Amino acid sequence: MNGFALDTNIVSAHLRGDAEVGAQIKANTRLYMPVTVLGELYYGAYHTQHRDKQLARIRSFLPLVQTVHHDDEIAERYGKAKARLAELGSMIPENDIWIAATCLVHDLTLASRDAHFEAVEGLRLVRWEPPATAG
C-alpha cells in the first residue's frame, strides 16, 4: 500500500483540532486506519458523556482514510510480533500489536505519538508530536 497508518492518538489529536496533525493529514493523500484504531475511537466515543458529538466527529473523519481490516496474514504477523516482543521482554499494549501487524503486512509507516512502537522489529514509525510549549 505504502502511505501512513494513523494511530489512535493521532486521529484523536486531529479530532480535537490539533493544527500540526491536521497539516500532516492534509499533506498526505495516502492515509490508512487499522480497524483496531477505529474500534478504539468508537470505544472512546461510547465511553464519554458527549457520545453523539464524538460519533459525529469519527464519522466525518472516515472519508479521509481507508480502513484496513484484519485478515489471516495480519493475524499471523500479530502472533509473530507478539512472540518476539515476549522473547525480548518488551511487551506493548495488545491493540498496539494488532496495529503494528497491520502496518507490517501492508508496508505502512505508522504515525503515532507512542515511543513503545519502536520495540516492534521492522515497523517504520514517524512521531507526529505536538509542538513544544514555551515554559
Side-chain angles (χ1 to χ4, degrees):
M1 284 183 181
N2 269 331
F4 289 103
L6 305 179
D7 190 16
T8 308
N9 54 41
I10 296 299
V11 178
S12 294
H14 176 69
L15 296 178
R16 286 190 312 271
D18 183 308
E20 296 292 321
V21 171
Q24 289 284 359
I25 287 172
K26 285 182 183 178
N28 293 285
T29 57
R30 298 178 76 177
L31 297 173
Y32 301 88
M33 183 170 53
V35 70
T36 306
V37 170
L38 184 57
E40 289 181 336
L41 292 170
Y42 278 130
Y43 166 73
Y46 283 105
H47 194 67
T48 183
Q49 295 177 354
H50 309 287
R51 178 179 300 167
D52 292 338
K53 183 178 179 181
Q54 288 302 103
L55 290 171
R57 285 180 175 169
I58 293 167
R59 291 178 182 133
S60 69
F61 179 75
L62 290 177
L64 302 177
V65 296
Q66 179 179 335
T67 303
V68 183
H69 298 274
H70 294 164
D71 59 19
D72 294 351
E73 189 176 0
I74 291 172
E76 182 175 353
R77 186 59 67 97
Y78 161 86
K80 182 179 177 181
K82 185 172 180 177
R84 183 64 179 147
L85 290 166
E87 287 172 14
L88 296 171
S90 299
M91 291 304 292
I92 66 174
E94 195 79 19
N95 280 350
D96 288 349
I97 302 170
W98 282 107
I99 292 166
T102 301
C103 293
L104 290 165
V105 167
H106 290 287
D107 192 29
L108 297 168
T109 299
L110 179 62
S112 180
R113 291 182 172 171
D114 291 331
H116 62 246
F117 279 109
E118 293 172 6
V120 180
E121 292 176 359
L123 180 66
R124 290 190 316 272
L125 179 65
V126 62
R127 304 276 300 275
W128 288 358
E129 296 291 347
T133 56

